[in-house]
Amino acid sequence: MGCHRIGHSYACVFTVSPDSNGVPLCSVGIGSDAVAVHAETVRKLQCDEQNGHRALHILQEERRKQAQRSVLISCQVTTNEKKFLKYLSQHGDINKFFFYESYGLYAVVEFSSSESVASLLESSVIPSVSHECVVPFKSRLLWLRNHSLVDSGGQTSGLVCQAQTTTPINELIHRISTQESIEQQMMSLTEASQLTEENSRLRFLVCSLLEDIATAYFPECTITPFGSSVNGFGKLGCDLDMFLNLDNIKGRNMRLPKSGLSLEYQMKRANSERAVTQSILSVIGECVDQFGPGCVGVQKILNARCPLVRFSHQPSGFQCDLTANNRVAMKSTELLYLYGGLDARVRHLVFSVRCWARVHGITSSIPGAWITNFSLTMMVLFFLQRRNPPIIPTLDQLQQLAGPADKSIIDGNDCTFVSDFAKVQLQSNTETLEQLLSAFFEFYATFNFSRLSINIRKGKEQNKPEMSPLHILNPFETSLNISKNVNVTQLDRFVALCQESSWLSQQSRTLNPKKSTSGKNTAMPWGLAALLLPLQVDGIKGRKKKTRELASERIKSLLVSLKKKDSPTS
Ligand code: GTP
Ligand code: MG
């Protein structure tokens, strides 16, 4: 099987050659409309791939710096954009700004230099509230109070606001129904759901605001987002997982002199690393609760397997989970980011499957016996490793490609894998997104969950080491099952929905758009949209019954034909 570099991996599907404008054209023998459609498809997929080629730590560092130069300002709907920007520009050049709505109108403003932020904060005043007192904690979350910046007449100023929430499902179904192919439907769903540039900036800004609180105690600490906020699979409205990293402080221990005098910090001792994490999170959680502007509903969940502080950040609308000493989760984030960037089909399939799972209640935002998005993503990755030829490599293969800088051992677990996209060679699998979606449902409709576990490290099914209904190996702590929480009922529902969706995705009424007499799509749900409509459990039972009936019919006719063969007359 021929191998070739990523970045061209999808081109083989349509045999692309660039036209005079550098826009890829399709050279397969199909009608001109279809050529244009496929050319656009290929262009989008390649664009996506290119975006995914930067290593995550580079992207994180860039976003972190932008966030440190940014402020979040609560405005009034009547704010005059021009006057507002002119006023702020007194403190220096503005790189980027945008407005959004979340229980009020907000502006995110990024300056070219941090001195501008310092100057702006210097000029800001502590509010004088007549009947209340304030905690005098100065942050980069501000109110715009100057009335001369507001348009007269009390009318809204027509500011363009960037959406920070996802498209309602009915609207999404309607939108994708007008697409020409299932492939385009899946890409359109990704486009409508994925985090926007602005939403991503806002996530880093909220981390940066929190970091300002934490650095009061630990000046060298950082707070960075992890999970779906940065792994490439996040949708608008997903939670904000934050990682408080104290490694920069601990790192100084490495530089102890070999001889002569030296000084050591006197520090409080604790029984375990976990106890240290709990005490730090407890104090920071308390500060967030008492001093953090806009932080409400703070809960300290310190006895969880991974201790955390949960709260709502009202100005952004994000549900936040702050954890510490959680470097393995950071590694899983990097791994998913890498997989998502290797081949554009990975992200499109994950977005479609996650959306499908959510609308059918397979996943939920409430913790419980449901399959989590993280587990579901692992299932998609495993499925893609099981294609012939595989679409993505196994984690063991990625580990073999790692260089010295990629070496990572966390709590005795080897978390090493390559971070350089260019080192990964992909096999030339040419399956379309439409084929993959249908094959995904079929794969898990018939998967032997009672005996086998899902293991993306090996890319192979293995016998289950324990009896949980669903066993998905934690890729970096291989003795753990990331889906231990899933009960039989939830797994059965998942399998039943896969069976129903597999059946539906092969029906011609699902596969073809409904056309009006003029030949245009009617926007009646078809393809992926049809799979997002409610599937009745009765329907599933009915289908199972029908399948059983069909099977028993087949057995009956087989027996009849065998009998006939055995009979002396035949
Ligand atoms: P959303 O549902 O969109 O929030 O997806 P998510 O990937 O952010 O999942 P979640 O917020 O539940 O968890 C955040 C991150 O923590 C994940 O991306 C993983 O990196 C890690 N994580 C979540 N669950 C587990 C688990 O069971 N085991 C391990 N080792 N890591 C986990
Ligand atoms: Mg999350």
Side-chain angles (χ1 to χ4, degrees):
M1 184 59 61
C3 286
H4 59 127
R5 282 200 177 276
I6 54 162
H8 305 287
S9 60
Y10 208 77
C12 56
V13 181
F14 303 118
T15 325
V16 179
S17 60
D19 71 359
S20 54
N21 299 320
V23 178
L25 276 180
C26 194
S27 66
V28 289
I30 48 182
S32 60
D33 282 352
V35 169
V37 166
H38 282 300
E40 178 60 11
T41 304
V42 173
R43 193 190 60 73
K44 278 191 176 164
L45 288 171
Q46 287 183 333
C47 252
D48 281 358
E49 281 187 2
Q50 276 151 18
N51 287 337
H53 280 179
R54 291 159 74 207
L56 182 58
H57 66 270
I58 297 175
L59 195 90
Q60 297 248 57
E61 200 39 42
E62 191 181 301
R63 286 259 185 259
R64 222 173 91 75
K65 295 245 167 73
Q66 286 172 348
Q68 283 167 344
R69 294 191 303 262
S70 303
V71 291
L72 182 52
I73 304 178
S74 171
C75 305
Q76 287 147 20
V77 280
T78 47
T79 298
N80 180 301
E81 179 179 315
K82 222 167 145 190
K83 285 186 201 162
F84 173 66
L85 293 175
K86 192 169 168 214
Y87 172 71
L88 295 183
S89 310
Q90 293 173 70
H91 302 283
D93 291 343
I94 292 170
N95 263 2
K96 162 126 188 154
F97 70 91
F98 64 90
F99 294 91
Y100 71 91
E101 272 181 301
S102 165
Y103 304 108
L105 181 75
Y106 286 88
V108 171
V109 181
E110 184 211 325
F111 286 94
S112 303
S113 98
S114 345
E115 281 82 59
S116 307
V117 175
S119 154
L120 179 136
L121 294 183
E122 191 64 29
S123 73
S124 303
V125 295
I126 292 183
S128 55
V129 194
S130 50
H131 303 299
E132 291 171 80
C133 294
V134 289
V135 179
F137 178 78
K138 292 179 173 177
S139 82
R140 283 177 285 143
L141 173 60
L142 304 151
W143 286 106
L144 178 69
R145 289 293 192 203
N146 190 335
H147 292 281
S148 68
L149 301 182
V150 166
D151 276 347
S152 54
Q155 290 183 342
T156 56
S157 60
L159 289 174
V160 178
C161 285
Q162 301 295 324
Q164 307 299 328
T165 51
T166 186
T167 316
I169 186 67
N170 288 343
E171 210 178 292
L172 186 68
I173 288 176
H174 180 82
R175 189 192 295 189
I176 65 173
S177 296
T178 58
Q179 298 290 334
E180 290 297 317
S181 67
I182 293 180
E183 187 140 56
Q184 284 190 336
Q185 289 188 331
M186 291 173 74
M187 291 195 294
S188 168
L189 182 137
T190 309
E191 208 166 293
S193 332
Q194 70 190 355
L195 301 185
T196 57
E197 154 83 15
E198 287 78 16
N199 194 268
S200 178
R201 280 171 176 266
L202 189 54
R203 283 169 190 269
F204 276 84
L205 177 52
V206 173
C207 286
S208 186
L209 296 177
L210 256 280
E211 195 179 282
D212 288 348
I213 297 179
T215 48
Y217 288 97
F218 305 104
E220 291 124 323
C221 81
T222 57
I223 293 186
T224 39
F226 71 99
S228 60
S229 294
V230 282
N231 66 16
F233 299 111
K235 72 170 209 175
L236 286 170
C238 70
D239 68 354
L240 172 56
D241 302 293
M242 296 188 270
F243 172 53
L244 169 67
N245 189 348
L246 300 163
D247 286 354
N248 285 344
I249 307 173
K250 292 179 187 161
R252 301 226 161 159
N253 285 345
M254 312 300 275
R255 291 198 289 270
L256 277 179
K258 289 210 174 81
S259 61
L261 298 178
S262 71
L263 291 170
E264 268 183 12
Y265 288 102
Q266 285 200 25
M267 289 181 167
K268 257 200 153 90
R269 281 157 207 270
N271 292 335
S272 62
E273 200 58 48
R274 180 176 165 84
V276 175
T277 303
Q278 285 170 326
S279 82
I280 292 173
L281 282 179
S282 175
V283 172
I284 307 254
E286 203 55 42
C287 282
V288 171
D289 194 16
Q290 305 289 331
F291 308 153
C295 301
V296 298
V298 180
Q299 287 173 272
K300 294 193 232 168
I301 310 171
L302 302 177
N303 288 322
R305 190 183 75 80
C306 182
L308 70 131
V309 175
R310 177 165 289 169
F311 60 94
S312 287
H313 186 257
Q314 264 186 342
S316 61
F318 296 143
Q319 181 68 32
C320 303
D321 279 352
L322 175 67
T323 57
N325 196 21
N326 190 14
R327 285 185 298 142
V328 175
M330 205 64 221
K331 273 316 234 191
S332 324
T333 303
E334 278 174 41
L335 180 68
L336 296 199
Y337 176 81
L338 179 77
Y339 274 128
L342 285 177
D343 186 300
R345 288 171 291 180
V346 179
R347 285 184 71 238
H348 295 307
L349 189 60
V350 169
F351 269 95
S352 291
V353 169
R354 278 191 177 200
C355 181
W356 165 87
R358 190 59 195 264
V359 297
H360 295 306
I362 295 291
T363 53
S364 165
S365 56
I366 310 159
W370 292 274
I371 297 176
T372 62
N373 273 330
F374 183 56
S375 294
L376 198 60
T377 308
M378 289 292 164
M379 292 170 98
V380 176
L381 295 180
F382 182 73
F383 159 75
L384 294 172
Q385 290 174 333
R386 299 299 290 143
R387 302 312 293 159
N388 187 15
I391 291 181
I392 49 171
T394 66
L395 180 51
D396 275 349
Q397 288 164 340
L398 293 177
Q399 186 170 353
Q400 281 158 18
L401 296 171
D406 297 320
K407 185 113 190 114
S408 168
I409 309 283
I410 302 171
D411 302 331
N413 298 300
D414 194 346
C415 302
T416 306
F417 62 90
V418 65
S419 58
D420 182 357
F421 286 79
K423 282 194 192 162
V424 186
Q425 307 260 310
L426 295 181
Q427 299 198 44
S428 46
N429 178 305
T430 59
E431 286 172 289
T432 62
L433 282 171
E434 177 179 338
Q435 289 167 333
L436 289 173
L437 184 66
S438 174
F440 171 86
F441 294 131
E442 198 179 332
F443 184 82
Y444 285 112
T446 53
F447 192 85
N448 189 348
F449 285 104
S450 59
R451 203 170 64 75
L452 301 174
S453 69
I454 289 164
N455 180 352
I456 66 153
R457 186 162 270 285
K458 301 270 168 242
K460 266 195 216 130
E461 293 88 355
Q462 292 189 311
N463 286 334
K464 279 207 295 198
E466 40 126 322
M467 283 325 294
S468 307
L470 175 61
H471 194 276
I472 305 175
L473 220 80
N474 181 327
F476 297 118
E477 295 163 291
T478 49
S479 61
L480 301 178
N481 172 12
I482 63 162
S483 52
K484 213 178 165 69
N485 62 313
V486 178
N487 64 18
V488 179
T489 314
Q490 291 307 320
L491 180 63
D492 282 353
R493 289 191 60 239
F494 172 74
V495 173
L497 279 160
C498 281
Q499 286 168 348
E500 180 74 359
S501 300
S502 166
W503 182 84
L504 258 179
S505 64
Q506 289 163 32
Q507 304 305 302
S508 59
R509 71 187 156 91
T510 314
L511 286 171
N512 300 313
K514 317 264 180 306
K515 299 274 180 194
S516 68
T517 41
S518 64
K520 290 234 165 75
N521 273 6
T522 57
M524 287 284 285
W526 72 280
L528 175 60
L531 298 175
L532 299 180
L533 294 176
L535 300 172
Q536 298 294 321
V537 178
D538 285 350
I540 296 169
K541 282 190 189 147
R543 188 93 52 238
K544 271 188 177 167
K545 197 163 153 238
K546 203 189 285 172
T547 317
R548 273 203 301 276
E549 278 166 5
L550 286 174
S552 59
E553 281 303 310
R554 278 202 301 274
I555 292 166
K556 255 190 224 163
S557 60
L558 195 69
L559 286 173
V560 169
S561 68
L562 284 173
K563 262 189 203 160
K564 274 186 189 161
K565 266 190 196 161
D566 285 347
S567 73
T569 49
S570 64

